[in-house]
Amino acid sequence: QVQLVESGGGLVQSGGSLRLACAASGKIFSITNMAWYRQAPGKQRELVAVIGSASATHYADSVKGRFTISRDYAKNTVYLQMTSLKPEDIGVYYCNVHGRNEEGYMRDYWGQGTQVTVSS
């Protein structure tokens, strides 16, 4: 069984910062991409940032220059440092990890989501 445990969400004032973390545990192997998605109220889930196995990164245009994704390979943990937060960053943030299960198949795993709220 694979678990993704997220932490770090909360309420922050506009312009503030938060750091999200997501730790993957259990029988997951050969992790490639680790990513953060978010879903705002009434909107579809969207990609925020992704980091590959060689640490290449990609960001949504809306967060470039404000958010930084990083990972700890030894701990199978991905982080999202969010700065200069805006009300439009409000949403539930989900961790996504792509890796191999014990049957040998590559698949996506999702965290339970963590709420980020920004007050204006």
Side-chain angles (χ1 to χ4, degrees), residues 71-90:
R71 65 192 283 180
D72 184 324
Y73 291 86
K75 296 181 180 179
N76 281 346
T77 299
V78 61
Y79 305 95
L80 186 68
Q81 178 67 50
M82 304 185 292
T83 63
S84 302
L85 281 160
K86 306 175 181 180
E88 48 263 46
D89 295 317
I90 289 172

Side-chain angles (χ1 to χ4, degrees), residues 6 92-95 111-115:
E6 301 172 5
V92 179
Y93 283 67
Y94 296 92
C95 170
Q112 79 282 1
T114 185
Q115 178 69 45

Side-chain angles (χ1 to χ4, degrees), residues 38-117:
R38 69 185 178 192
Q39 188 164 18
K43 295 187 177 181
Q44 288 189 329
R45 192 174 298 188
E46 63 175 355
L47 176 67
V48 175
V50 59
I51 184 166
S53 55
S55 297
T57 58
H58 172 79
Y59 297 92
D61 288 343
S62 60
V63 307
K64 279 180 182 176
R66 300 188 298 120
F67 291 10
T68 302
I69 190 170
S70 61
R71 65 192 283 180
D72 184 324
Y73 291 86
K75 296 181 180 179
N76 281 346
T77 299
V78 61
Y79 305 95
L80 186 68
Q81 178 67 50
M82 304 185 292
T83 63
S84 302
L85 281 160
K86 306 175 181 180
E88 48 263 46
D89 295 317
I90 289 172
V92 179
Y93 283 67
Y94 296 92
C95 170
N96 172 273
V97 174
H98 191 69
R100 183 167 54 87
N101 63 15
E102 56 182 327
E103 287 80 25
Y105 297 102
M106 297 297 289
R107 57 159 290 182
D108 284 311
Y109 296 89
W110 291 91
Q112 79 282 1
T114 185
Q115 178 69 45
V116 171
T117 303

